[in-house]
Amino acid sequence: MSTATLTIDLNAAVANWRALDAKTDCETAAVVKADAYGLGADKLARALARAGARSFFVAVAEEGAALRQALGPGPNICVFSGHMPGDADMIGDLELTPMINSLDQMIRHVEALPGHAFGLQLDTGMNRLGMEPSEWAAVRDVALAQNPVLIMSHLACADEPDHPMNAQQLRTFREMTDGLDVPRSLANTGGVLLGRDYHFDLCRPGIGTYGGAPFAEARHVATLDIPVIQCRDVAPGETVGYGNSYVASRPTRIATISAGYADGILRAMGPKTGLWCDGKRLPIAGRISMDLIGVDVTALGQDPKSLQLLGPNQGVDTLADAAGTIGYEILTSLGARYTRRYLTA
Ligand SMILES: *Cc1c(COP(=O)(O)O)cnc(C)c1O
């Protein structure tokens, strides 16, 4: 077997979700969009439901439908994209709760599914999803008469605690919703960490549960071990990989491992990234190929069976920094070819 193994520690994810929950006095939901950030929405959501999560958020109704099959009846499944054309059967039959983003969506929803639960999404400055203050002022009374179950908005800069946008969005959210008798939600992971003013009735962390920044206390969740296919000696002056970008400056032992950019190991991270074995960091040698990566394992003094890209020594944010991106993109890029193993207890 030469596919890499992605090990997902469900206990660590549950511990992270609980640690975030413990920072609030309100309900803590779980955001499991994009297959729980690439880690497996069915497994993660079931583990979090067992730990007490009662509400789950996904990006689109199709994800919600799949999640309902995994979770069964009971938990709330909320859809950020709201009620799109063609969604009514899924929303109705599978008891999904769309977060309505506009008057158009509102009309579509109450016409297709009168009396069916929905939430409202407001735009407090991010200009991405939700009703803006002027639209909200016009629609508000009609919308409230339909008994929304939640009013939510989303923070643009919550991972930067000192950013003035946070307080500005909080102020706008309060102006748009203070005094209404509907549960409210504003905080993602970063928002949970901003403190109680941002928590309202429900928080919606995603990345912190999966071990990523800005939740610095997070336990490590995803580990990626990549098998070594072959090792060889490379003499000074010889090159490794496409474009001859690596030239050996000393007698070097090169291991070729079985994963590449087709598995979400971004080419951009190559020059700054190492793989780990026996507590040693081993630099990537040359360019990352589609299915293969060369690694300088000289420092090991022996040929390894596998090397670790993600693990306790090197988390998603370290990889992200090396590739000039964010941990979210590293996780959601994790390859379909990996063998996924789930650790419990
Ligand atoms: C993705 C998302 C979240 C979760 O954000 P994290 O930063 O991963 O905690 C919460 N709310 C909305 C609207 C989102 O799109």
Side-chain angles (χ1 to χ4, degrees):
M1 189 181 94
S2 68
T3 55
T5 301
L6 181 67
T7 305
I8 294 137
D9 185 343
L10 292 175
N11 289 338
V14 165
N16 289 339
W17 179 81
R18 285 202 168 116
L20 289 163
D21 183 42
K23 295 183 186 298
T24 78
D25 290 326
C26 65
E27 180 180 351
T28 301
V31 177
V32 294
K33 63 192 179 191
D35 200 24
Y37 295 38
L39 297 181
D42 50 349
K43 306 282 197 311
L44 267 298
R46 274 195 232 117
L48 293 167
R50 279 195 298 274
R54 286 174 285 127
S55 299
F56 296 84
F57 284 82
V58 293
V60 296
E62 286 78 0
E63 291 180 339
L67 187 62
R68 178 61 75 203
Q69 311 294 343
L71 286 176
N76 302 317
I77 299 178
C78 305
V79 181
F80 288 135
S81 63
H83 190 140
M84 293 288 285
D87 283 354
D89 285 350
M90 271 184 288
I91 290 172
D93 296 347
L94 297 167
E95 292 284 333
L96 309 180
T97 308
M99 298 292 117
I100 297 296
N101 288 295
S102 63
L103 178 57
D104 281 356
Q105 286 202 345
M106 176 90 200
I107 293 167
R108 183 180 298 132
H109 183 69
V110 298
E111 282 184 1
L113 299 167
H116 186 98
F118 71 96
L120 292 164
Q121 188 154 192
L122 304 181
D123 180 61
T124 52
M126 191 175 186
N127 285 310
R128 198 176 67 166
L129 283 180
M131 294 184 231
E132 302 202 359
S134 57
E135 188 178 13
W136 177 231
V139 170
R140 203 176 113 140
D141 292 343
V142 178
L144 292 173
Q146 304 285 335
N147 296 317
V149 297
L150 187 72
I151 300 181
M152 62 163 283
S153 188
H154 190 45
L155 296 165
C157 304
D159 54 341
E160 298 175 59
D162 298 327
H163 203 295
M165 184 69 166
N166 296 318
Q168 188 181 315
Q169 286 192 269
L170 177 61
R171 207 177 318 118
T172 305
F173 190 56
R174 296 209 83 118
E175 282 164 11
M176 293 171 84
T177 61
D178 269 354
L180 304 181
D181 189 20
V182 181
R184 293 185 284 181
S185 176
L186 180 61
N188 61 346
T189 301
V192 171
L193 303 175
L194 289 177
R196 306 222 169 211
D197 287 352
Y198 289 81
H199 295 173
F200 295 93
D201 302 294
L202 179 138
C203 291
R204 313 183 306 269
I207 192 75
T209 300
Y210 310 117
F215 189 31
E217 303 156 37
R219 276 177 57 184
H220 177 76
V221 174
T223 301
L224 182 63
D225 295 294
I226 307 173
V228 172
I229 302 177
Q230 193 181 7
C231 292
R232 75 185 65 245
D233 290 320
V234 173
E238 286 193 285
T239 59
V240 176
Y242 284 120
N244 288 3
S245 68
Y246 174 91
V247 184
S249 56
R250 50 162 167 73
T252 301
R253 188 75 178 160
I254 295 289
T256 301
I257 61 174
S258 179
Y261 62 77
D263 302 293
I265 304 173
L266 308 175
R267 285 173 86 253
M269 75 174 65
K272 294 190 193 158
T273 298
L275 284 100
W276 287 78
C277 185
D278 294 342
K280 293 202 173 80
R281 182 182 184 281
L282 308 161
I284 289 176
R287 291 196 191 145
I288 294 172
S289 302
M290 185 184 292
D291 319 296
L292 300 165
I293 304 172
V295 183
D296 178 351
V297 296
T298 315
L300 275 184
Q302 58 174 48
D303 291 346
K305 287 211 162 45
S306 72
L307 297 174
Q308 195 165 79
L309 182 71
L310 262 179
N313 292 311
Q314 181 165 265
V316 289
D317 295 297
T318 307
L319 288 186
D321 287 346
T325 182
I326 52 176
Y328 301 72
E329 191 178 16
I330 298 293
L331 285 176
T332 55
S333 302
L334 288 168
R337 288 192 288 202
Y338 298 149
T339 302
R340 282 165 163 74
R341 276 177 62 223
Y342 290 88
L343 296 186
T344 49

